[in-house]
């Protein structure tokens, strides 16, 4: 064993090849750190959870199963016209149309359309594919987040808990809530990304956090509104802890130093949040500013009154399982309504984890307790005692139903069971097949590694304060009795190492490792004990979590009723007639229609070839109209108008964005823009005054200046990200070339 005393000169070691390989090497290290074996276990457990979706048939009776199918059906109508980012749903409201994709996050439906359009799956199978893959992706996302600060075994347990926890199964198998199920994938990813922006701020963390948050916005604006306050509190807590931990190292005026540190630490998460908003601006800005153009009366009050749907405390632990909808009163679960249970195993393991959190160091202990507080707050908002919050606190009522806050509760109820098998404070232990090894004492004693191959492994030092890449045959050692002030590595890109009394290690500017060991008598005496934390406790906990929910892994496969399918325009019309909440209308429509001339044609098995209301066109020498083409968001007609004052009425609800053009000939270029008016009647349809003479008129739904500006913000954000990423890659490449040349 190499031993260096305090009086010996520092011995330079061979150059480290850490810079070689660039991004490919970094990705390879990241993949190894994720542990492919644990990832495989997550997927295997996930396959058990999604097994009910693999059977033939479709669960037409699930709450939103019909909605999901017809969301993709309508999205597909736009894609057939070459519109991959639609705003207008052409056949909602019995064919009058509705700006559905302005107010409803399209990402989950977009995924379903990919399976249908490119994969050739039917609409029902596409829904099942999205729901099944969302469960697997949820497991992988939660594994990544929890592994990053509690270790691989904890990540495995948390992943299984997140996939199999009862409310998640309710979302998929009872409610078929496709958008919310997909949004659950991005919640752990957002938490992971924003945590990294505080703990280890770097470009990759900022971009990952921004992308995850934007994905939540694109998937479900409801989930985004409910989740954002909790995410903000989490980031603020992480910032507060970082500032508090660093107070002893600051010089000068205390408050000035604290303020400067806060600004520095808050910069990365603030940039990530801003980029996330920028990436989702094309959706959320119109959705926010145009909500006044939508008739929302059918979605509030009556059945949707949140004060009728508070969860009773005993229902949180009631193991009954049903497929019905939420009903007022304490007996709806017993009568077959959906379950509101937290999950017996997840709750028990979470409570044990909170009680045992004292065994961890301060850094992880307080974060564990934060998640306990998150769970308590989320559960509180489902209960009747939270009525004042629903009445007076902004954003809380956007959840619509109090039990929807269980989507937030399942985050800590999945994370906390993983604490029971978390790695000990200070890092991790493993053994390499080629003979090198690393070992660390559980309670912050010391960390030590012999690298059999140059630069092959990284070692997380005691207390988790830094990393070292060792050269061939080198040793690194640190006592962790008390944290020191820290010292930056001279070599660019090598991070920094927080020192402890009794030992230190650093790297010189020319890329060579130097090392000094003090008090070598404290070195490892039994290196054969350098093995991984055992995996079997994690497997046991994961199995228990899955078994506790196993009886709920079922779905009601049934044939569609005439009001549901087979999927067609006629079935869509019948579906809307039996589901009032499906009939979304604009703010100027009153009363809400319950049928239409287009619905009559579809139900009769005929094709709708135009949205022109011929009842308003006399078809004589005064006004004659002949439909030429109809698409999901446009109509092309030939017309003849003898005198001024003639108008063409279209069976489409008026909404900002409808634009009319006079063309030079059929399929020709626009000659001039024509005014578009709103019908002064209960349907508030599109009316286009026809100029005297004959010609071709094109009516098309386009982006307003507001929507165009929002889309421009999103494209501008993408350009900024691309430019910054290219600059970073270029700098990394130049650095690698310089290191190889040196």
């Amino acid at each position: 064993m190499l031993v260096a005393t305090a009086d010996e000169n520092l011995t330079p070691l061979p150059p480290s090849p850490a810079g070689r390989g660039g991004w490919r090497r970094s990705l390879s290290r990241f993949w190894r750190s994720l542990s492919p074996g644990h990832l495989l276990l997550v997927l295997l457990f996930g396959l058990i959870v999604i097994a009910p979706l693999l059977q033939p048939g479709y669960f037409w009776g699930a709450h939103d199963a019909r909605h999901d199918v017809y969301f993709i059906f309508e999205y597909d109508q736009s894609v057939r016209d070459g519109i991959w980012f639609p705003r207008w749903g052409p056949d909602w409201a019995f064919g009058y149309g509705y700006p559905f994709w302005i107010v409803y996050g399209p990402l989950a439906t977009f995924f379903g359309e990919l399976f249908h359009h490119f994969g050739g799956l039917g609409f029902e199978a596409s829904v099942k594919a999205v729901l099944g893959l969302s469960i697997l992706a949820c497991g992988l996302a939660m594994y990544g987040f929890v592994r990053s600060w509690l270790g691989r075994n904890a990540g495995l347990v948390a992943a299984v808990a997140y996939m199999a926890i009862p409310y998640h199964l309710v979302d998929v198998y009872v409610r078929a809530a496709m958008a919310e199920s997909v949004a659950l994938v991005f919640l752990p990813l957002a938490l992971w990304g924003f945590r990294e922006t505080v703990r280890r701020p770097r470009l990759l963390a900022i971009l990952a956090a921004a992308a995850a948050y934007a994905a939540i916005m694109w998937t479900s604006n409801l989930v985004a509104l409910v989740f954002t306050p909790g995410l903000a509190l989490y980031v603020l807590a992480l910032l507060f802890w970082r500032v508090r931990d660093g107070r002893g190292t600051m010089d000068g005026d205390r408050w000035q130093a604290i303020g400067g540190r806060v600004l520095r630490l808050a910069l990365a998460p603030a940039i990530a949040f801003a980029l996330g908003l920028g990436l989702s601006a094309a959706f959320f800005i119109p959705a926010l500013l145009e909500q006044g153009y939508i008739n929302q009366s059918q979605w509030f009050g009556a059945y949707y009154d949140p004060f009728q749907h508070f969860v009773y405390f005993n229902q949180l632990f009631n193991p009954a399982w049903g497929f019905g909808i939420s009903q007022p009163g304490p007996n709806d679960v017993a009568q077959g309504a959906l379950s509101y249970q937290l999950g017996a195993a997840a709750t028990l393991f979470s409570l044990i984890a909170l009680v045992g959190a004292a065994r961890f160091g301060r850094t992880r202990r307080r974060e564990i307790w934060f998640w306990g507080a998150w769970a308590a707050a989320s559960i509180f908002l489902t209960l009747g005692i939270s009525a004042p919050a629903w009445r007076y606190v902004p954003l809380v009522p956007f959840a619509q139903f109090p039990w929807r806050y269980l989507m937030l509760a399942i985050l800590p109820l999945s994370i906390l069971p993983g604490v029971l098998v978390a790695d000990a404070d200070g890092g991790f232990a493993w053994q390499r097949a080629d003979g090198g090894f690393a070992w660390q004492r559980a309670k912050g004693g010391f960390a030590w590694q012999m690298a059999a191959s140059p630069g092959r492994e990284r070692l997380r030092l005691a207390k988790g304060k830094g990393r070292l890449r060792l050269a061939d045959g080198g040793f690194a050692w640190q006592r962790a009795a008390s944290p020191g002030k820290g010292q930056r590595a001279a070599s660019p890109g090598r991070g920094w190492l927080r020192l402890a009394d009794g030992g230190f290690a650093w790297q010189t500017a020319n890329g060579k490792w130097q090392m000094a060991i003090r008090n070598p008598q404290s070195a490892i005496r039994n290196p054969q004990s350098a093995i991984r934390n055992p995996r079997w406790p994690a497997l046991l906990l994961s199995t228990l979590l899955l078994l506790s929910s196993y009886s709920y892994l079922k779905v009601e496969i049934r044939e569609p009723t005439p009001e549901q399918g087979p999927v067609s325009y006629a079935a869509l019309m019948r579906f809307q007639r039996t589901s009032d909440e499906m009939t979304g209308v604009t703010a100027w429509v009153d009363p809400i229609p319950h049928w239409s001339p287009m619905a009559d044609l579809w139900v009769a098995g005929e094709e709708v070839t135009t949205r022109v209301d011929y009842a308003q066109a006399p078809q004589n020498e005064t006004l004659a109209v002949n439909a030429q083409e109809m698409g999901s968001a446009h109509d092309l007609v030939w017309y003849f108008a003898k005198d001024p004052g003639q108008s063409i009425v279209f069976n489409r609800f008026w909404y900002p964005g409808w634009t009319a053009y006079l063309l030079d000939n059929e399929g020709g270029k626009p000659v001039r823009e024509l005014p578009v008016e709103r019908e002064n009647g209960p349907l508030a349809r599109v009316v286009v005054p026809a100029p005297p003479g004959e010609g071709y008129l094109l009516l098309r739904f386009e982006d307003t200046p507001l929507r165009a500006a929002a889309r421009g913000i999103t494209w501008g954000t993408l350009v900024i990200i691309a430019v910054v990423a290219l600059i970073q890659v270029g700098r990394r490449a130049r650095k690698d070339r310089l290191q190889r040349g040196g």
Side-chain angles (χ1 to χ4, degrees), residues 32-51:
R32 290 199 304 272
S33 73
L34 288 176
S35 177
H38 285 75
L39 290 176
L40 179 60
L41 286 171
V42 170
L43 293 176
L44 290 176
F45 277 104
L47 287 175
I48 298 174
V49 177
I50 69 171

Side-chain angles (χ1 to χ4, degrees), residues 41-329:
L41 286 171
V42 170
L43 293 176
L44 290 176
F45 277 104
L47 287 175
I48 298 174
V49 177
I50 69 171
L53 292 174
L54 303 180
Q55 59 185 308
Y58 187 66
F59 47 140
W60 281 101
H63 302 180
D64 291 346
R66 300 175 296 175
H67 303 66
D68 299 336
V69 165
Y70 286 107
F71 289 169
I72 301 176
F73 178 79
E74 282 295 279
Y75 201 101
D76 186 61
Q77 307 311 309
S78 298
V79 170
R80 289 174 182 270
D81 286 344
I83 306 173
W84 279 92
F85 177 35
R87 301 284 197 179
W88 188 260
D91 308 312
W92 299 127
F94 306 105
Y96 290 111
Y98 181 64
F100 186 74
W101 309 113
I102 289 179
V103 298
Y104 188 88
L107 188 58
T109 308
F110 170 77
F111 290 150
E113 174 62 18
L114 292 180
F115 286 112
H116 175 70
H117 188 83
F118 295 108
L121 299 183
F123 295 109
E124 301 97 319
S126 297
V127 173
K128 293 170 66 177
V130 171
L131 290 173
L133 290 177
S134 74
I135 291 178
L136 298 179
C138 278
L140 296 175
M142 182 59 77
Y143 171 78
F145 170 51
V146 174
R147 181 211 61 85
S148 68
W149 62 288
L150 289 176
R152 301 166 183 174
N153 290 335
L156 172 62
V157 172
V160 175
Y162 196 48
M163 291 188 291
I165 202 163
Y167 181 77
H168 199 167
L169 302 182
V170 167
D171 249 7
V172 174
Y173 295 127
V174 178
R175 298 181 59 220
M178 188 168 66
E180 186 172 313
S181 299
V182 172
L184 291 178
V185 174
F186 301 111
L187 303 190
L189 294 177
L191 293 168
W192 185 9
F194 277 97
R195 186 180 189 276
E196 289 295 298
T197 64
V198 177
R199 304 299 300 180
R200 295 176 55 211
R202 59 200 187 280
L203 179 61
L204 181 59
I206 292 173
L207 297 184
Y213 186 74
I216 298 171
M217 296 285 282
W218 279 104
T219 306
S220 172
N221 36 359
L222 183 150
V223 174
L225 287 171
V226 170
F227 173 70
T228 298
L231 175 65
L233 288 175
Y234 183 53
V235 172
L236 289 174
L238 292 170
L239 289 171
F240 174 77
W241 296 330
R242 285 294 305 274
V243 171
R244 186 176 180 182
D245 288 346
R247 286 184 305 180
T249 65
M250 295 182 296
D251 300 323
D253 181 76
R254 178 180 178 185
W255 293 108
Q256 182 177 356
I258 290 177
R261 183 171 175 81
V262 169
L263 291 177
R264 288 194 302 273
L265 291 175
L267 182 61
I271 292 174
F273 181 69
L275 290 176
L277 292 178
L279 290 172
S280 58
F283 169 69
F284 90 84
I285 290 180
L288 178 65
L289 298 183
E290 295 187 20
Q291 58 183 324
Y293 301 158
I294 302 298
N295 186 336
Q296 304 180 43
S297 60
Q298 72 267 37
W299 300 322
F300 296 94
Y303 175 78
Y304 294 96
D305 180 2
F307 296 94
Q308 298 186 49
H309 295 276
F310 283 116
V311 177
Y312 290 82
F313 186 76
N314 67 294
Q315 292 178 325
L316 296 174
F317 309 98
N318 187 342
W321 193 262
F323 292 88
I325 63 174
S326 170
Q327 296 291 349

Side-chain angles (χ1 to χ4, degrees), residues 328-341:
N331 300 317
D332 56 339
V333 174
Q335 296 169 358
L338 72 163
S339 174
Y340 313 116
Q341 62 177 296

Side-chain angles (χ1 to χ4, degrees), residues 440-475:
Q440 185 164 2
R441 213 163 65 189
K443 268 298 183 182
F446 48 82
W448 175 83
Q449 181 184 34
M450 181 180 70
S453 300
R456 284 291 303 276
E457 301 288 354
R458 284 188 174 186
L459 172 65
R460 188 184 300 275
L461 298 181
K463 299 294 187 185
K465 300 302 183 184
R467 298 180 301 176
L468 286 176
R469 178 177 292 280
L470 301 180
D472 190 11
F475 293 83

Side-chain angles (χ1 to χ4, degrees), residues 711-740:
R711 190 194 291 256
I713 292 173
T714 294
W715 279 111
T717 304
L718 285 170
V719 169
I720 291 172
I721 290 174
V723 170
V724 172
L726 287 174
I727 292 174
Q728 182 73 4
V729 170
R731 288 179 176 175
R732 181 71 174 265
R734 286 194 298 272
K735 184 187 301 182
D736 289 345
R737 287 196 298 270
L738 289 173
Q739 289 181 344
R740 287 195 297 269

Side-chain angles (χ1 to χ4, degrees), residues 1-5 8-13 448-450 471-477 513-518 520-521 523:
M1 178 181 292
L2 172 65
V3 176
T5 66
E8 288 179 317
N9 294 326
L10 298 174
T11 305
L13 297 172
W448 175 83
Q449 181 184 34
M450 181 180 70
D472 190 11
F475 293 83
W477 175 85
W513 284 105
Q514 289 191 331
M515 168 201 59
I517 296 180
R518 297 181 178 176
Q521 292 81 0

Side-chain angles (χ1 to χ4, degrees), residues 38 41-42 45 143 150-161 349 417-423 533-546:
H38 285 75
L41 286 171
V42 170
F45 277 104
Y143 171 78
L150 289 176
R152 301 166 183 174
N153 290 335
L156 172 62
V157 172
V160 175
F349 294 155
V419 172
L420 300 179
V421 293
D423 290 341
N533 289 341
R535 191 182 296 174
W536 68 264
L539 288 172
L540 177 60
L541 284 181
S542 299
T543 303
L544 292 175
L545 287 163
L546 181 61

